[in-house]
Amino acid sequence: MISAGTFHVITTELVVGMFALAGIAYLLLVLDKKRETADIVAHWAMLGGLLALPLTIIFGIYANPTEQISNQLLANKVLLSFSALGISVGVLLNRWLNKGPISGRLHPSIGMVACGMILLVASLGGMYTRGESLLFFLPKDIVLIFPVWASTILLLMGLMLISKSAVDHRRG
Amino acid sequence: MRIRVIAILAILIFSASWTPMTSAKSGGEGDDIRSMQCGGSCHSDPALNATSAAMVSVEQPSSKWAGLLTTVTVNITDFPESETRIVGVFLLTNDQGAKDTPQHEGWTIVADPNGGVVNYIETRVSNGETSVSVTWTLKAPVVAGNYTLLASIHHGGVGNSVSIHGNSWPISFTIDEPPEDLPRLASTFTPPNTRLVNQETIITLETEDVTDYIVEMRVPGAQSVTLDVVEGTFTIPPAINSGSIEWRATLSGVGPDQQTPWFTLIAKEEGWQSDRVELYLQAFSLLFLMTGLVLVSNRKPRAEKIDLVGVMGLPQPDITAQIISEPQQHSTPVVEHNPVISTIPPVPIEGLPAGWTMEQWQHYGEQYLQGGLR
């Protein structure tokens, strides 16, 4: 039987490739070069990566069968990938709600941050499996795990922001 | 153009042929359940590997009763020079490269040498040493018959430029049905593999046809000591440092006395741990929070939107004056002197195209007027 770890690697390659392409396209948008093409490529590539990302996370979770997360790298991977997922969803929703290219540098900059976070997650994976990473200088043994009440507050804040944004959008 | 393409292709082909075809994974691949085919996916193609100078051998299982616990030791000697001194050891049932894990033949791995339950482990050969032995605890297949086991190793050399592998000779043996009254550990009993430092371990033996027990404990290679057993329960004292101890039981009953294999119990420092629920709740919180923050970041000031709607039908200079003056926060009311105005294409009499904002019009209006976006 093919293990979850193998599927995790396959989907990871897909996500990393898509997000790397999106990152370059967002960089072009930040630099205000080839705006029309870069806008299309950036958002479609990010959408492609985003579709594969949940699979990557699920296979990654199943690849580590223990009940407890016993490695800081794994915890950082989970938190970073979910954060990047959230940013990416926000970027794509903004673009979709705008019904056209979004001017300015803020939007593509946020897109670049999401791409950078995904690439960082992939780098942490390399550190976990092979003990090697180009980002060896980053502290990887620091994890901030919030208590349940703090996470619940954050969750409520997030839901409030999303609903407020939806209401504002409906008002036009 | 064609010459450039040929030149790029030539460079790629050259670089591909120049790059070593195989390379060892210097950090290892991690313990896991792996077939020897892993040699093709995680340690390069076995056909392209160098052959190890190390001698690999598998010892006969400590006991050969169907469905009962036993141990199998792999010895590696004459280990060659290696940069990282990491060696990956496989316990396999054949050298065909597929369906070759002990599980495929009905074996159950109760404990691997690192305290896990996998057939591939990585260990390090100490500096100055050229040999290492690793022991698996297995539950034999429940079906009696002839079985084969062999070991395979993977490691790197100096510079890790080439991946090296080697196989032991296979060993064959017969697994027999145990006699009915044989004193034995119950098939449901699983010895613990790991524990934390400074924590004593209480083990209760589950047995069949046993009337008396003797349990011994030892540090590997040292003299064993006998532990007190009360109704099949004994306590292994806590370990002060990380490391392993071994224990075994001598079981007496109606049938002939039986000695279990030496079971390894590895003591580990308490590492960082997190509850999955806490972690995933935080992860989902971050997901929604990030989405919300990004959505809010793109929200335009309401005043700007009201102005856009309100001025749609007004003469053009006034529209642009209102739109431009607001974000720039100019104190001067004289719009004609603002050079930005000249870059905005004139808005049609019927207003902006449906769904467009003024910002979009600023960037794409010219193209729209030329018919490119209709």
Side-chain angles (χ1 to χ4, degrees):
Chain A
M1 200 181 97
I2 301 169
S3 67
T6 303
F7 281 116
H8 179 63
V9 170
I10 293 168
T11 48
T12 299
E13 303 285 357
L14 203 59
V15 171
V16 169
M18 291 280 194
F19 270 86
L21 179 63
I24 292 169
Y26 280 122
L27 179 64
L28 288 175
L29 284 173
V30 169
L31 298 174
D32 209 9
K33 308 251 186 234
K34 305 273 183 195
R35 284 196 70 86
E36 283 174 55
T37 313
D39 179 72
I40 295 166
V41 171
H43 293 97
W44 278 110
M46 182 175 264
L47 181 65
L50 208 57
L51 292 176
L53 190 55
L55 287 176
T56 311
I57 294 172
I58 290 167
F59 285 129
I61 289 168
Y62 277 102
N64 177 41
T66 55
E67 283 299 313
Q68 299 285 324
I69 300 278
S70 57
N71 190 297
Q72 292 98 321
L73 279 175
L74 287 183
N76 276 327
K77 268 169 72 87
V78 170
L79 295 178
L80 262 178
S81 56
F82 272 80
S83 302
L85 185 66
I87 294 176
S88 306
V89 169
V91 166
L92 290 180
L93 275 177
N94 270 344
R95 173 63 176 80
W96 180 61
L97 293 173
N98 203 57
K99 294 188 175 70
I102 297 173
S103 60
R105 290 194 167 87
L106 179 62
H107 177 76
S109 300
I110 296 172
M112 280 187 70
V113 168
C115 296
M117 287 169 79
I118 288 294
L119 297 183
L120 183 60
V121 171
S123 171
L124 290 181
M127 187 76 194
Y128 180 69
T129 53
R130 290 185 295 279
E132 298 170 333
S133 170
L134 284 174
L135 303 172
F136 56 87
F137 49 85
L138 286 180
K140 299 175 187 70
D141 52 354
I142 300 169
V143 192
L144 292 176
I145 301 289
F146 301 148
V148 172
W149 61 265
S151 293
T152 310
I153 290 174
L154 285 182
L155 183 67
L156 291 174
M157 280 173 63
L159 291 172
M160 277 169 58
L161 286 172
I162 292 170
S163 55
K164 186 171 168 52
S165 174
V167 169
D168 285 350
H169 178 72
R170 278 188 189 170
R171 282 181 184 165
Chain B
M1 183 65 186
R2 190 176 294 174
I3 292 171
R4 282 184 193 171
V5 172
I6 292 170
I8 290 169
L9 282 174
I11 290 168
L12 287 173
I13 292 168
F14 174 75
S15 63
S17 59
W18 178 76
T19 307
M21 294 295 282
T22 65
S23 63
K25 307 287 187 189
S26 53
E29 281 289 316
D31 297 1
D32 208 341
I33 296 170
R34 298 185 194 279
S35 71
M36 201 162 65
Q37 195 60 40
C38 161
S41 60
C42 68
H43 209 260
S44 305
D45 192 330
L48 300 170
N49 285 349
T51 302
S52 176
M55 300 296 292
V56 188
S57 62
V58 186
E59 290 181 13
Q60 289 282 336
S62 55
S63 73
K64 298 167 186 169
W65 298 118
L68 299 189
L69 293 169
T70 184
T71 55
V72 174
T73 299
V74 175
N75 298 310
I76 301 157
T77 55
D78 299 334
F79 189 73
E81 206 174 334
S82 159
E83 194 160 283
T84 62
R85 304 191 71 76
I86 292 176
V87 56
V89 189
F90 296 79
L91 184 65
L92 304 166
T93 53
N94 63 60
D95 59 358
Q96 301 303 305
K99 294 189 176 179
D100 55 359
T101 67
Q103 289 91 328
H104 281 107
E105 298 269 323
W107 296 87
T108 304
I109 297 174
V110 176
D112 67 41
N114 289 341
V117 287
V118 296
N119 75 318
Y120 171 81
I121 60 105
E122 284 164 0
T123 187
R124 199 177 288 270
V125 181
S126 307
N127 286 329
E129 298 282 332
T130 56
S131 62
V132 65
S133 293
V134 288
T135 302
W136 272 266
T137 303
L138 307 169
K139 192 171 279 180
V142 290
V143 180
N146 293 322
Y147 290 88
T148 302
L149 287 173
L150 79 149
S152 179
I153 61 167
H154 280 175
H155 60 87
V158 177
N160 284 306
S161 58
V162 178
S163 51
I164 302 167
H165 81 133
N167 285 356
S168 72
W169 288 106
I171 56 161
S172 297
F173 49 88
T174 304
I175 296 287
D176 297 317
E177 287 288 349
E180 276 190 13
D181 58 355
L182 185 79
R184 69 188 89 165
L185 291 171
S187 58
T188 51
F189 175 75
T190 304
N193 307 334
T194 56
R195 62 176 179 162
L196 295 176
V197 168
N198 292 325
Q199 230 175 50
E200 66 179 19
T201 309
I202 299 169
I203 298 174
T204 301
L205 295 172
E206 296 168 36
T207 55
E208 291 173 17
D209 300 312
V210 174
T211 55
D212 200 13
Y213 316 83
I214 298 172
V215 175
E216 297 166 273
M217 182 194 83
R218 71 177 184 189
V219 175
Q223 191 76 25
S224 63
V225 294
T226 305
L227 298 174
D228 294 331
V229 186
V230 180
E231 293 178 356
T233 300
F234 60 96
T235 303
I236 296 178
I240 301 167
N241 299 311
S242 301
S244 65
I245 58 108
E246 294 173 331
W247 67 272
R248 72 176 176 188
T250 304
L251 310 172
S252 305
V254 178
D257 286 3
Q258 287 296 306
Q259 213 162 42
T260 68
W262 283 103
F263 297 118
T264 304
L265 183 59
I266 299 171
K268 294 179 175 176
E269 295 280 355
E270 188 169 17
W272 180 90
Q273 269 197 344
S274 169
D275 185 59
R276 281 197 167 207
V277 175
E278 275 185 3
L279 184 71
Y280 291 139
L281 181 63
Q282 184 176 337
F284 277 101
S285 305
L286 287 171
L287 190 155
F288 286 108
L289 186 67
M290 292 295 170
T291 305
L293 285 172
V294 174
L295 284 173
V296 169
S297 76
N298 194 45
R299 212 178 58 203
K300 296 177 180 61
R302 191 169 293 165
E304 183 185 343
K305 293 182 178 175
I306 292 167
D307 285 346
L308 270 175
V309 175
V311 301
M312 206 58 82
L314 295 177
Q316 288 167 22
D318 290 337
I319 297 169
T320 50
Q322 273 185 280
I323 299 306
I324 296 304
S325 63
E326 193 168 321
Q328 290 187 344
Q329 300 292 319
H330 274 289
S331 56
T332 170
V334 185
V335 177
E336 290 80 18
H337 297 297
N338 193 336
V340 181
I341 295 169
S342 61
T343 62
I344 300 174
V347 178
I349 298 298
E350 64 271 19
L352 290 171
W356 283 50
T357 64
M358 198 60 201
E359 268 188 351
Q360 289 169 290
W361 182 257
Q362 187 178 342
H363 285 283
Y364 301 99
E366 192 67 48
Q367 224 175 325
Y368 180 86
L369 291 174
Q370 289 167 5
L373 292 176
R374 284 173 201 263

